[in-house]
Amino acid sequence: MRRSVALIGSCCAALALALAPITSAAGPTVQAQAALRIINAPFVGVADPSLRTLLQGIGARLTWRKGQRDVLITRADHVVVAFTVGSGLYHAGGLTLEARYAPYLHGAEPFLPLSDVLSALSLRGFPDGNVLLVEPLLASLDVRSSGGGATVIAAAGVPLVPTLVARDASSITYAFTGVGSSVSGTREVDAGGIRDVAVQSTGQLASARTLLTVDLARGATALPAQSDDGRDFSLSVIAARGQTPAPPGPRVTAVDVLPSAGAFTVAVAVTGDATYAWHRLAQPDNRFWLDVKAATLVAAPRDDHWIGRVTGVRVDQVTPQRVRVALSLAAEQSVSVIPSATGVRILVGNAIASGSPRAGNGSIGSVVSAVVETPLATPQPAATALLTPVPEPNRPSSVPTNPRLIVIDPGHGGNDPGTSAHGLLEKTVTLDIALRLRGILVARGWQVRMTRSTDTEADPAATTDRDELQARVDDANDNGARAFVSIHVNWYSEPDPNGVTSYYSKPQDVALARDVENAVAREAGETNRGIVKSALYVTLHTRMPAVLIETAFISNPGDFARLDSPQWRQRVALGIADGIETYARENPLPPAPTN
Ligand code: ZN
């Protein structure tokens, strides 16, 4: 069943959105002023022309190949959104979210839940007869203060095209036409020459206009707005000379509550480097709180009540040294805490996994990237586990039919949990790392095939372990992959051993195993136990370079805490991706024959 093509392209001036021209390396400029609309139905097929036009209009790309259950949408900001047929969860960046409906197959074509597709793309739809008029939303607002000033950065589901509407000595206002907002309100900043930043949305349904006003401190100067990446809005302010500097220490400048179908998000904007700690109480208390340490609350305190999975949000300066963001949850729910350079996002999502952590901590600001660059521990290769690599041929012995395809194999799954400790299952950790790895690789232009992308066996019909493993091998061999990466978690009968180990079987595996091992040890700060030759089924029987990575020991307390941490899993995924890219760069394929 195909939906009508005619719905797109009827361009009505009153509904036209001021989309900036989007230039892509692949093609010409996408014409601005095209109204975004799509059939108003719970689901949309991946081959639906109106979906394709909508994605093109916002610079996003859909990847799906016949016979695959995974549908990937790469947003213009390179974040990958991944849906899987039959799964009620979807992934956006490093986050797992609950879909309103699970995608299903109609014939061979996957149909996706439309409301989740729109919210993952920072879009909002308004019904108009049997179509939805689709409007992009201002989705994030950050204020970063620096030595002599501050910068306001806003981003939306489309490139932002600001129009200067008002300016005097004390304030400056820009308008974004055709853009709504999920971050309306006023944020008090009182730093870097900015008094406050106000966002206000006006206009009719699907023809919104969002105003962003920056109130300046006396003597401060706003520079003309610009864009850092051709998509966001960036406005820098220079504070007056000799003005009293901002109080020392990190400052919580805004707390935005963004309820959506998939996840309830609380975005905490923090200026300056900070550390935080969070805690979660189990049933029946169901409270979560996050403390930003040594911080000052410059945003207004709040005590809001909601209906839904989160019933209350409270923001307070609980001690002179501590800002607390506390959530009351309607039931026990999973909470993810994602730090960034400009704050921390708290996501309340799908049902809780047993063994989820009750507390954690992290850092915000430049500290975040420093942690990613610097290993937590100096790698100390365990001499017993190190093998001197045998000299390997520089080129793979099989020529991949698909040189950009990487097959990712999340170890175990379904009725096979793998190893476990304190309720944390290997199959859960391997899948999570694999999904993160997929997002990173796809964003970097690789094609990815997963031997499984949900909690299932690779071959649910397999009756033996051998058949199950062969199904994973077949996935790579049958599709002519460039490389095969199997992800696992290690276990030992004693608590001492820790660190990452990469296993290989064939001579052509060695370079890949070494590059992945070193990159993961470096990125994730894990002890580098080196590479080990072993006749493991999946590495032995795959025809392309293959590696089986034992990411860490679930039996070691330090490694357990890491395996349990979403941030660490993201770093492992980043390390594996970097290792694959190093390998690919240093082991180029022979040029394709020309005729
Ligand atoms: Zn395993």
Side-chain angles (χ1 to χ4, degrees):
M1 183 180 66
R2 289 282 176 280
R3 302 190 190 284
S4 163
V5 189
L7 285 159
I8 293 278
S10 54
C11 187
C12 164
L15 299 172
L17 299 173
L19 292 185
I22 299 162
T23 9
S24 74
T29 303
V30 174
Q31 192 40 259
Q33 307 297 325
L36 295 173
R37 27 173 45 190
I38 195 162
I39 286 244
N40 186 8
F43 290 91
V44 60
V46 299
D48 190 320
S50 69
L51 176 65
R52 298 286 175 150
T53 311
L54 176 73
L55 295 177
Q56 191 184 30
I58 60 167
R61 194 178 76 235
L62 186 143
T63 314
W64 169 74
R65 263 177 298 281
K66 239 186 164 57
Q68 290 211 5
R69 303 180 75 78
D70 296 333
V71 179
L72 308 184
I73 299 173
T74 309
R75 300 194 321 212
D77 58 5
H78 305 299
V79 168
V80 175
V81 182
F83 291 92
T84 302
V85 170
S87 171
L89 301 178
Y90 68 100
H91 303 270
L95 310 175
T96 300
L97 304 170
E98 195 176 280
R100 180 168 292 179
Y101 310 105
Y104 68 94
L105 279 183
H106 180 81
E109 181 185 359
F111 276 71
L112 307 177
L114 182 59
S115 60
D116 297 305
V117 170
L118 295 180
S119 90
L121 298 169
S122 300
L123 301 172
R124 175 165 60 186
F126 298 99
D128 179 32
N130 60 346
V131 300
L132 278 184
L133 307 172
V134 175
E135 175 179 87
L137 295 175
L138 201 66
S140 75
L141 183 66
D142 291 320
V143 181
R144 303 175 192 178
S145 70
S146 55
T151 303
V152 179
I153 296 167
V158 292
L160 285 171
V161 185
T163 316
L164 180 64
V165 293
R167 166 168 211 159
D168 59 31
S170 65
S171 79
I172 182 164
T173 299
Y174 282 93
F176 307 104
T177 304
V179 177
S181 172
S182 57
V183 291
S184 294
T186 301
R187 291 153 185 74
E188 296 183 24
V189 179
D190 286 330
I194 298 179
R195 272 196 225 286
D196 58 53
V197 180
V199 175
Q200 188 194 2
S201 238
T202 61
Q204 298 301 307
L205 295 184
S207 59
R209 184 166 187 252
T210 293
L211 298 175
L212 186 152
T213 300
V214 176
D215 275 342
L216 303 170
R218 182 186 297 271
T221 314
L223 302 177
Q226 49 166 312
S227 180
D228 297 327
D229 59 1
R231 297 184 50 80
D232 66 8
F233 164 90
S234 172
L235 176 74
S236 291
V237 171
I238 300 168
R241 270 177 185 282
Q243 206 188 0
T244 10
R251 302 138 47 74
V252 175
T253 55
V255 178
D256 292 313
V257 178
L258 316 164
S260 83
F264 189 100
T265 304
V266 179
V268 184
V270 181
T271 299
D273 293 345
T275 58
Y276 63 85
W278 60 267
H279 297 271
R280 184 159 58 82
L281 296 182
Q283 298 264 37
D285 295 306
N286 292 328
R287 261 170 57 79
F288 168 95
W289 70 93
L290 179 143
D291 287 346
V292 184
K293 297 178 187 172
T296 310
L297 179 66
V298 295
R302 62 192 292 174
D303 186 4
D304 297 341
H305 299 274
W306 302 78
I307 297 168
R309 63 177 71 201
V310 176
T311 55
V313 176
R314 198 182 172 113
V315 181
D316 252 327
Q317 181 91 47
V318 285
T319 75
Q321 288 290 299
R322 195 161 281 239
V323 174
R324 175 165 295 174
V325 179
L327 310 185
S328 305
L329 310 178
E332 193 160 24
Q333 321 227 19
S334 81
V335 182
S336 301
V337 178
I338 317 286
S340 73
T342 56
V344 57
R345 287 173 99 81
I346 303 164
L347 271 108
V348 183
N350 44 280
I352 197 155
S354 61
S356 293
R358 294 274 163 208
N361 53 61
S363 47
I364 298 164
S366 58
V367 185
V368 174
S369 34
V371 170
V372 173
E373 301 299 332
T374 318
L376 297 174
T378 312
Q380 290 171 324
T384 49
L386 273 177
L387 264 192
T388 311
V390 292
E392 76 274 16
N394 231 8
R395 303 208 183 284
S397 64
S398 73
V399 177
T401 52
N402 195 342
R404 295 298 294 169
L405 176 68
I406 308 294
V407 169
I408 304 174
D409 176 39
H412 313 276
N415 58 24
D416 169 18
T419 186
S420 65
H422 315 297
L424 184 66
L425 305 179
E426 177 177 4
K427 67 173 183 179
T428 311
V429 174
T430 60
L431 179 59
D432 185 59
I433 294 173
L435 291 168
R436 293 168 186 274
L437 173 60
R438 175 175 69 180
I440 295 166
L441 288 175
V442 168
R444 292 180 181 180
W446 291 90
Q447 293 170 20
V448 170
R449 191 177 170 92
M450 308 274 290
T451 59
R452 66 178 181 99
S453 54
T454 57
D455 180 15
T456 178
E457 300 85 36
D459 176 9
T463 50
T464 66
D465 285 354
R466 186 188 168 284
D467 288 349
E468 165 68 13
L469 293 172
Q470 185 60 42
R472 298 174 189 241
V473 168
D474 287 346
D475 247 342
N477 287 349
D478 294 351
N479 291 287
R482 173 76 177 276
F484 175 91
V485 179
S486 189
I487 300 169
H488 285 257
V489 171
N490 222 334
W491 178 89
Y492 194 66
S493 54
E494 300 294 324
D496 290 342
N498 73 320
V500 54
T501 323
S502 293
Y503 290 86
Y504 70 96
S505 303
K506 315 180 292 291
Q508 81 221 48
D509 298 343
V510 174
L512 175 67
R514 192 179 46 211
D515 290 340
V516 167
E517 170 74 18
N518 291 341
V520 171
R522 186 176 63 240
E523 293 280 0
E526 269 291 298
T527 301
N528 188 334
R529 298 179 69 90
I531 64 172
V532 177
K533 186 171 185 178
S534 178
L536 295 169
Y537 195 96
V538 293
T539 45
L540 192 61
H541 295 286
T542 39
R543 288 198 288 269
M544 67 292 306
V547 57
L548 185 148
I549 178 162
E550 295 280 6
T551 48
F553 282 80
I554 204 167
S555 44
N556 173 270
D559 273 9
F560 175 85
R562 292 169 169 205
L563 288 163
D564 207 17
S565 145
Q567 288 82 13
W568 184 84
R569 294 177 193 172
Q570 181 71 18
R571 289 163 60 189
V572 170
L574 196 61
I576 298 174
D578 286 356
I580 291 170
E581 296 217 300
T582 302
Y583 168 79
R585 194 170 54 243
E586 291 176 358
N587 298 271
L589 295 167
T594 51
N595 33 357

